[in-house]
Amino acid sequence: ISHSSPEMVGRSVITYAPKIEKKHHLLEAINNGKNLSFIDIEPLTGNKSMFYLKPITFGKSSAPWSLSLSIPLAKLNQGTNRTFGFALLIGLVSLILVSIIIIWIARSITKPIRRATNQLKLIAKGEIQKLDTTTSRFIKDEISDANEAMALLTDNLKKATAFAQEIEKGNLDINYKALSDKDLLGISLVAMKESLTEAHIEEEKKRLV
């Protein structure tokens, strides 16, 4: 054999690694020009190593030669462990980022829904003054549309309530405009004001007479 250690140069494979030769039939593989790979104990270092044998030729020589390479598994695992650690770190960072995104999406969906539900509960109880007309959702989607519609409804209810309270105080000069020709509440409030105004005028006429 040819070896990086001078004392090994020229020795027979059987002398260099008798146990490995007997176990893996190195001479037979070299004579037959076979590729061979296996894991065993390196004779000089005593380290568990990966062995590779590759047949080679020199010019027109018919003598069988093989190039053997032994790599300590510790060296191989060192690179593997480094790669695994890096992959694990990337995986953990990705998992954290995905979790943050999922939590943010979930909250962006549930928060306006919960807010709308609370608004509807207040409307059902008649607690108009406690309603919140602010909108804080920046993403335009179905939820934001529902949120804006709820804010508009809340604002209209507050205006209607304020108008009714002024009428109750006797302030018939206050104006109120129905949102549309289908706004039953608004139309009813305007009609109520007109009826009260006419009644007030008639009462004044009777008083003057």
Side-chain angles (χ1 to χ4, degrees), residues 7-70:
E7 65 272 14
M8 293 288 104
V9 176
R11 289 191 179 186
S12 168
V13 173
I14 298 176
T15 305
Y16 167 66
K19 293 183 179 179
I20 294 179
E21 200 287 323
K22 183 178 181 181
K23 183 177 179 180
H24 301 284
H25 308 290
L26 299 184
L27 287 178
E28 181 180 345
I30 294 172
N31 287 328
N32 295 327
K34 292 182 178 180
N35 292 319
L36 189 63
S37 63
F38 55 88
I39 296 177
D40 215 317
I41 303 300
E42 215 283 331
L44 291 183
T45 62
N47 295 325
K48 195 171 185 178
S49 303
M50 173 67 77
F51 289 84
Y52 294 94
L53 267 74
K54 176 73 175 179
I56 58 175
T57 56
F58 291 96
K60 297 181 180 181
S61 174
S62 60
W65 286 82
S66 282
L67 178 63
S68 176
L69 178 66
S70 65

Side-chain angles (χ1 to χ4, degrees), residues 91-163:
L92 289 175
V93 172
S94 301
L95 181 61
I96 293 173
L97 290 177
V98 170
S99 299
I100 292 174
I101 293 173
I102 291 175
I103 293 173
W104 179 80
I105 293 175
R107 286 185 176 178
S108 67
I109 294 174
T110 57
K111 186 177 179 179
I113 293 177
R114 190 183 302 113
R115 179 178 178 274
T117 302
N118 292 334
Q119 294 279 85
L120 289 173
K121 288 180 179 179
L122 291 175
I123 293 174
K125 294 178 181 179
E127 300 177 6
I128 306 299
Q129 298 304 321
K130 293 183 179 181
L131 295 177
D132 184 11
T133 58
T134 60
T135 56
S136 59
R137 187 172 176 85
F138 301 101
I139 301 176
K140 296 296 294 182
D141 54 13
E142 290 80 1
I143 296 177
S144 66
D145 293 340
N147 198 16
E148 291 176 2
M150 179 61 66
L152 181 60
L153 172 62
T154 301
D155 186 56
N156 292 333
L157 287 175
K158 283 189 174 182
K159 289 180 179 178
T161 302
F163 175 77

